[in-house]
Amino acid sequence: AQKITQTQPGMFVQEKEAVTLDCTYDTSDQSYGLFWYKQPSSGEMIFLIYQGSYDEQNATEGRYSLNFQKARKSANLVISASQLGDSAMYFCAMREVNTGGFKTIFGAGTRLFVKA
Amino acid sequence: ETGVTQTPRHLVMGMTNKKSLKCEQHLGHNAMYWYKQSAKKPLELMFVYSLEERVENNSVPSRFSPECPNSSHLFLHLHTLQPEDSALYLCASSQGRQGNQPQHFGDGTRLSIL
Protein backbone atom coordinates (compact mmCIF):
# COMPACT_ATOMS: atom_id res chain seq x y z
CA ALA A 1 0.00 0.00 0.00
CA GLN A 2 1.21 3.49 -0.78
CA LYS A 3 2.27 5.44 2.24
CA ILE A 4 1.99 8.86 0.61
CA THR A 5 -0.78 9.59 -1.85
CA GLN A 6 -1.06 12.71 -3.93
CA THR A 7 -4.21 12.36 -6.00
CA GLN A 8 -3.77 15.42 -8.21
CA PRO A 9 -1.27 14.82 -11.03
CA GLY A 10 -1.75 18.39 -12.21
CA MET A 11 -3.38 21.57 -10.94
CA PHE A 12 -4.06 24.96 -12.50
CA VAL A 13 -4.43 28.17 -10.49
CA GLN A 14 -4.85 31.78 -11.49
CA GLU A 15 -2.08 34.13 -10.40
CA LYS A 16 -2.78 35.77 -7.01
CA GLU A 17 -5.32 33.11 -6.03
CA ALA A 18 -4.86 30.44 -3.36
CA VAL A 19 -4.46 26.75 -4.17
CA THR A 20 -4.56 23.58 -2.10
CA LEU A 21 -2.46 20.54 -2.96
CA ASP A 22 -3.70 17.32 -1.41
CA CYS A 23 -1.67 14.75 0.46
CA THR A 24 -2.78 11.74 2.47
CA TYR A 25 -0.48 9.38 4.29
CA ASP A 26 -0.55 6.02 5.98
CA THR A 27 1.52 5.04 8.98
CA SER A 28 1.21 3.11 12.22
CA ASP A 29 4.08 5.02 13.79
CA GLN A 30 2.89 7.48 16.43
CA SER A 31 5.76 9.84 15.77
CA TYR A 32 6.37 11.11 12.27
CA GLY A 33 7.21 14.21 10.31
CA LEU A 34 5.52 15.50 7.17
CA PHE A 35 7.32 17.65 4.62
CA TRP A 36 6.54 19.46 1.41
CA TYR A 37 9.15 20.06 -1.26
CA LYS A 38 9.05 22.10 -4.46
CA GLN A 39 10.87 21.00 -7.59
CA PRO A 40 11.13 23.57 -10.41
CA SER A 41 11.92 22.42 -13.92
CA SER A 42 15.62 22.98 -13.24
CA GLY A 43 15.59 19.92 -10.98
CA GLU A 44 16.54 21.02 -7.49
CA MET A 45 14.30 19.97 -4.60
CA ILE A 46 13.49 22.85 -2.28
CA PHE A 47 12.22 22.25 1.24
CA LEU A 48 9.10 24.31 1.93
CA ILE A 49 7.44 23.37 5.20
CA TYR A 50 7.42 20.80 8.00
CA GLN A 51 4.67 19.46 10.30
CA GLY A 52 5.33 17.13 13.23
CA SER A 53 2.77 14.55 14.23
CA TYR A 54 2.58 15.99 17.72
CA ASP A 55 2.30 19.61 16.61
CA GLU A 56 -1.09 21.00 17.52
CA GLN A 57 -0.81 24.10 15.38
CA ASN A 58 -0.77 23.99 11.60
CA ALA A 59 2.65 24.93 10.24
CA THR A 60 3.07 28.15 8.30
CA GLU A 61 6.02 29.52 6.34
CA GLY A 62 5.31 32.75 4.53
CA ARG A 63 2.78 32.04 1.78
CA TYR A 64 2.83 28.31 2.57
CA SER A 65 0.66 26.69 5.20
CA LEU A 66 -0.03 23.08 5.97
CA ASN A 67 -3.59 21.99 6.71
CA PHE A 68 -2.90 19.08 9.06
CA GLN A 69 -5.81 16.80 9.89
CA LYS A 70 -4.33 14.00 11.91
CA ALA A 71 -7.46 11.88 12.27
CA ARG A 72 -7.95 11.90 8.52
CA LYS A 73 -4.21 11.44 7.91
CA SER A 74 -4.05 14.35 5.56
CA ALA A 75 -1.45 17.10 5.22
CA ASN A 76 -2.54 19.43 2.47
CA LEU A 77 -0.34 22.29 1.32
CA VAL A 78 -2.00 25.67 0.87
CA ILE A 79 -0.24 28.28 -1.22
CA SER A 80 -1.74 31.74 -0.87
CA ALA A 81 -1.45 34.52 -3.45
CA SER A 82 0.05 32.28 -6.15
CA GLN A 83 2.90 33.65 -8.22
CA LEU A 84 4.14 32.62 -11.64
CA GLY A 85 7.30 31.32 -9.99
CA ASP A 86 5.23 28.82 -8.03
CA SER A 87 4.81 26.73 -11.19
CA ALA A 88 6.64 23.51 -10.33
CA MET A 89 6.25 19.94 -9.08
CA TYR A 90 5.29 19.66 -5.43
CA PHE A 91 6.08 16.57 -3.37
CA CYS A 92 4.63 15.52 -0.05
CA ALA A 93 6.92 13.35 2.07
CA MET A 94 6.97 11.56 5.42
CA ARG A 95 9.59 10.33 7.88
CA GLU A 96 8.54 7.74 10.43
CA VAL A 97 10.62 8.42 13.51
CA ASN A 98 10.37 5.06 15.28
CA THR A 99 10.07 2.65 12.37
CA GLY A 100 11.42 4.42 9.33
CA GLY A 101 15.12 4.68 10.03
CA PHE A 102 16.64 7.23 7.70
CA LYS A 103 13.98 6.83 5.04
CA THR A 104 11.89 9.67 3.74
CA ILE A 105 8.96 8.45 1.68
CA PHE A 106 7.86 10.69 -1.17
CA GLY A 107 4.56 10.91 -2.99
CA ALA A 108 4.27 10.92 -6.77
CA GLY A 109 3.94 14.68 -6.85
CA THR A 110 1.53 17.29 -8.15
CA ARG A 111 2.46 19.57 -11.01
CA LEU A 112 1.18 23.10 -10.39
CA PHE A 113 0.65 25.52 -13.25
CA VAL A 114 0.11 29.18 -12.36
CA LYS A 115 -1.67 31.17 -15.07
CA ALA A 116 -1.11 34.88 -15.64
CA GLU B 1 29.84 27.72 -0.95
CA THR B 2 26.74 26.68 0.89
CA GLY B 3 24.19 23.92 0.60
CA VAL B 4 24.54 20.75 -1.40
CA THR B 5 26.53 20.76 -4.64
CA GLN B 6 26.37 18.04 -7.26
CA THR B 7 28.63 17.58 -10.26
CA PRO B 8 28.28 17.13 -13.12
CA ARG B 9 24.84 18.63 -13.82
CA HIS B 10 24.47 16.59 -16.99
CA LEU B 11 26.14 13.36 -18.05
CA VAL B 12 25.79 11.33 -21.21
CA MET B 13 27.55 7.99 -21.26
CA GLY B 14 27.60 4.73 -23.12
CA MET B 15 26.70 1.46 -21.51
CA THR B 16 30.31 0.35 -21.28
CA ASN B 17 31.66 3.55 -19.72
CA LYS B 18 32.66 4.13 -16.12
CA LYS B 19 31.86 7.47 -14.54
CA SER B 20 31.29 8.95 -11.09
CA LEU B 21 28.78 11.41 -9.69
CA LYS B 22 29.99 13.70 -6.94
CA CYS B 23 28.08 15.32 -4.09
CA GLU B 24 29.42 17.75 -1.51
CA GLN B 25 27.53 19.31 1.39
CA HIS B 26 28.56 22.39 3.36
CA LEU B 27 25.81 22.23 5.97
CA GLY B 28 27.59 20.26 8.67
CA HIS B 29 25.14 17.38 8.28
CA ASN B 30 26.06 13.83 9.20
CA ALA B 31 23.78 11.87 6.87
CA MET B 32 23.87 11.81 3.08
CA TYR B 33 21.56 10.18 0.54
CA TRP B 34 21.36 9.18 -3.10
CA TYR B 35 17.96 9.20 -4.81
CA LYS B 36 16.91 8.24 -8.31
CA GLN B 37 14.10 10.16 -9.97
CA SER B 38 12.66 8.63 -13.13
CA ALA B 39 9.86 10.07 -15.21
CA LYS B 40 6.42 9.58 -13.67
CA LYS B 41 7.76 7.67 -10.65
CA PRO B 42 8.22 8.76 -7.05
CA LEU B 43 11.68 9.44 -5.78
CA GLU B 44 13.47 6.18 -5.08
CA LEU B 45 15.91 6.06 -2.20
CA MET B 46 19.08 4.26 -3.28
CA PHE B 47 21.62 4.63 -0.46
CA VAL B 48 21.97 6.35 2.90
CA TYR B 49 25.21 7.03 4.71
CA SER B 50 25.31 8.12 8.32
CA LEU B 51 28.65 9.07 9.84
CA GLU B 52 30.30 7.59 6.75
CA GLU B 53 28.70 4.19 7.24
CA ARG B 54 26.13 2.84 4.82
CA VAL B 55 22.88 2.36 6.71
CA GLU B 56 20.42 1.87 3.85
CA ASN B 57 20.78 0.01 0.59
CA ASN B 58 17.50 -0.44 -1.19
CA SER B 59 18.19 -3.36 -3.49
CA VAL B 60 20.15 -1.26 -5.91
CA PRO B 61 21.95 -3.14 -8.73
CA SER B 62 25.66 -3.60 -8.21
CA ARG B 63 26.42 -1.45 -11.25
CA PHE B 64 25.83 1.46 -8.83
CA SER B 65 28.55 1.69 -6.20
CA PRO B 66 28.43 4.43 -3.54
CA GLU B 67 31.39 5.80 -1.63
CA CYS B 68 31.40 8.14 1.35
CA PRO B 69 34.98 9.09 2.28
CA ASN B 70 33.88 11.66 4.88
CA SER B 71 30.71 13.31 6.14
CA SER B 72 30.89 16.07 3.53
CA HIS B 73 31.40 14.02 0.37
CA LEU B 74 29.42 11.32 -1.34
CA PHE B 75 30.13 9.63 -4.65
CA LEU B 76 28.13 7.33 -6.89
CA HIS B 77 30.34 5.23 -9.14
CA LEU B 78 28.65 4.01 -12.31
CA HIS B 79 29.69 1.15 -14.57
CA THR B 80 28.01 -0.91 -17.26
CA LEU B 81 24.74 0.98 -16.93
CA GLN B 82 21.53 0.15 -18.79
CA PRO B 83 19.21 2.49 -20.72
CA GLU B 84 16.64 2.27 -17.91
CA ASP B 85 19.19 3.90 -15.61
CA SER B 86 18.67 7.20 -17.42
CA ALA B 87 17.20 9.49 -14.76
CA LEU B 88 17.82 12.45 -12.50
CA TYR B 89 20.09 11.48 -9.60
CA LEU B 90 19.65 13.61 -6.53
CA CYS B 91 21.94 13.85 -3.56
CA ALA B 92 20.64 15.04 -0.20
CA SER B 93 21.91 15.57 3.31
CA SER B 94 20.29 15.88 6.72
CA GLN B 95 21.20 16.15 10.36
CA GLY B 96 20.93 12.54 11.46
CA ARG B 97 17.70 10.64 11.53
CA GLN B 98 15.71 13.13 13.57
CA GLY B 99 12.15 13.13 12.29
CA ASN B 100 11.83 16.88 12.17
CA GLN B 101 14.93 17.50 10.09
CA PRO B 102 14.30 18.04 6.38
CA GLN B 103 16.66 16.81 3.76
CA HIS B 104 18.52 19.40 1.75
CA PHE B 105 18.95 18.47 -1.89
CA GLY B 106 21.44 19.28 -4.57
CA ASP B 107 20.46 20.33 -8.08
CA GLY B 108 20.83 16.78 -9.37
CA THR B 109 22.74 15.10 -12.16
CA ARG B 110 20.70 14.33 -15.23
CA LEU B 111 22.09 11.07 -16.58
CA SER B 112 21.46 9.76 -20.07
CA ILE B 113 22.61 6.30 -21.10
CA LEU B 114 23.10 5.77 -24.82
Side-chain angles (χ1 to χ4, degrees):
Chain A
Q2 289 189 1
K3 291 210 166 190
I4 296 285
T5 302
Q6 295 181 252
T7 57
Q8 307 151 313
M11 288 280 289
F12 285 88
V13 65
Q14 194 68 40
E15 192 179 11
K16 300 181 184 177
E17 292 185 351
V19 63
T20 298
L21 307 183
D22 295 341
C23 173
T24 58
Y25 59 92
D26 183 27
T27 180
S28 57
D29 201 326
Q30 295 302 307
S31 182
Y32 52 90
L34 297 160
F35 305 84
W36 277 92
Y37 290 87
K38 172 185 178 182
Q39 187 179 39
S41 56
S42 51
E44 74 271 29
M45 294 277 281
I46 303 165
F47 165 68
L48 296 178
I49 195 167
Y50 161 81
Q51 179 84 43
S53 58
Y54 292 113
D55 293 342
E56 295 185 354
Q57 302 281 341
N58 285 342
T60 60
E61 286 288 347
R63 294 186 299 111
Y64 304 109
S65 60
L66 202 152
N67 184 0
F68 181 46
Q69 299 186 44
K70 191 171 182 177
R72 297 180 60 186
K73 293 189 174 178
S74 74
N76 299 339
L77 177 71
V78 180
I79 305 174
S80 62
S82 298
Q83 302 172 357
L84 295 178
D86 294 334
S87 294
M89 282 289 288
Y90 289 81
F91 293 94
C92 179
M94 175 175 66
R95 293 188 79 170
E96 297 165 299
V97 174
N98 296 319
T99 60
F102 283 84
K103 289 182 182 176
T104 297
I105 304 163
F106 287 81
T110 295
R111 184 169 294 280
L112 178 66
F113 299 91
V114 180
K115 300 182 291 183
Chain B
E1 290 191 48
T2 58
V4 180
T5 305
Q6 287 187 245
T7 54
R9 290 296 310 276
H10 302 273
L11 179 61
V12 179
M13 56 188 284
M15 289 191 285
T16 58
N17 292 155
K18 290 184 179 181
K19 295 286 185 183
S20 296
L21 309 185
K22 179 182 176 183
C23 177
E24 185 174 359
Q25 60 98 1
H26 303 273
L27 299 169
H29 291 163
N30 57 16
M32 296 188 76
Y33 310 74
W34 278 118
Y35 285 90
K36 176 183 178 183
Q37 187 177 30
S38 305
K40 301 182 180 179
K41 293 177 71 175
L43 254 66
E44 301 172 59
L45 180 64
M46 300 175 73
F47 303 103
V48 182
Y49 276 82
S50 174
L51 300 173
E52 296 128 54
E53 287 192 29
R54 191 187 310 178
V55 295
E56 294 278 354
N57 181 349
N58 284 352
S59 303
V60 178
S62 59
R63 57 186 183 268
F64 295 92
S65 174
E67 179 190 1
C68 187
N70 55 61
S71 60
S72 298
H73 293 87
L74 185 66
F75 295 90
L76 188 62
H77 304 299
L78 316 171
H79 63 97
T80 323
L81 294 192
Q82 303 299 309
E84 62 265 27
D85 297 324
S86 296
L88 179 67
Y89 289 84
L90 289 163
C91 173
S93 69
S94 72
Q95 187 54 34
R97 53 181 289 178
Q98 296 163 23
N100 64 345
Q101 296 302 310
Q103 293 176 356
H104 294 260
F105 286 81
D107 292 346
T109 294
R110 194 164 295 279
L111 177 65
S112 298
I113 305 301
L114 300 178

